[in-house]
Amino acid sequence: MYEKKIIMTLLSFITTTLLVVGCSSSKDIQDFNIDKIALDEAKKITSEQGYTLKSETLTESDILIGDSEVFTLIKEASIKGGYLKEDLDSMTEDRKVVGYELAEKSKEDEPIMLCMVIDKGKVIGAYLDYSGYSQGITSIDFKYNFKQL
């Protein structure tokens, strides 16, 4: 009887341990550093392009996979901005699309977002998203629609 209690307790412990370990995934690991990865890249881009982050708080919005036309625009803009086509072609389902609002505004006085595609612990693409423009997804160096200050 005593042995049965020990075995049941041991099985319960093993089951709980396996459940906890099994629930941990690479996606959780990627999410752990996503704020730092995104902010480091955003600071690099803004420094190189002369932009200013309105806030260092990122927003998540994954518009990427469900719409092949949008993905094509993002891919083209990212490649034009210096990112690798191979990285975008091999992107996984664990990817994230995050953005930061820039202090700069569009000619229509609308916000401009600096968006980044993050996968496998690194930024594999980046683009500007001009709110209020048809085909608002452009390369990170596209300043034609910027409002003159």
Side-chain angles (χ1 to χ4, degrees):
M1 189 74 138
Y2 183 71
E3 289 176 22
K4 189 175 182 181
K5 226 179 198 181
I6 291 175
I7 291 173
M8 291 303 288
T9 304
L10 187 58
L11 282 176
S12 177
F13 174 77
I14 291 170
T15 304
T16 303
T17 303
L18 289 174
L19 181 63
V20 170
V21 171
C23 288
S24 300
S25 70
S26 61
K27 188 173 184 177
D28 294 332
I29 293 168
Q30 179 176 337
D31 288 346
F32 183 76
N33 291 321
I34 201 161
D35 290 345
K36 181 174 177 8
I37 292 166
L39 186 58
D40 287 350
E41 187 74 4
K43 286 180 176 180
K44 177 182 161 222
I45 292 169
T46 55
S47 171
E48 290 172 355
Q49 298 298 327
Y51 307 142
T52 306
L53 293 177
K54 183 173 181 177
S55 166
E56 291 188 1
T57 304
L58 65 83
T59 60
E60 283 194 48
S61 63
D62 200 296
I63 61 168
L64 190 55
I65 294 301
D67 185 334
S68 63
E69 289 180 35
V70 172
F71 176 67
T72 300
L73 292 172
I74 291 170
K75 187 174 173 181
E76 289 171 358
S78 293
I79 292 167
K80 205 172 185 185
Y83 294 89
L84 300 177
K85 179 183 182 300
E86 296 77 25
D87 286 342
L88 291 156
D89 287 342
S90 65
M91 180 176 53
T92 70
E93 291 293 322
D94 288 337
R95 67 22 188 123
K96 294 279 186 194
V97 178
V98 298
Y100 294 92
E101 187 173 346
L102 297 178
E104 293 77 11
K105 297 284 186 184
S106 73
K107 289 180 180 177
E108 304 296 320
D109 206 30
E110 294 289 333
I112 302 170
M113 296 293 291
L114 170 60
C115 301
M116 290 160 285
V117 182
I118 300 174
D119 190 34
K120 301 175 191 162
K122 71 177 188 173
V123 176
I124 63 168
Y127 59 95
L128 296 177
D129 187 354
Y130 283 86
S131 181
Y133 283 82
S134 177
Q135 190 172 335
I137 296 172
T138 63
S139 174
I140 55 175
D141 62 356
F142 185 79
K143 299 174 184 168
Y144 180 76
N145 289 335
F146 271 45
K147 184 178 187 177
Q148 297 300 318
L149 301 175

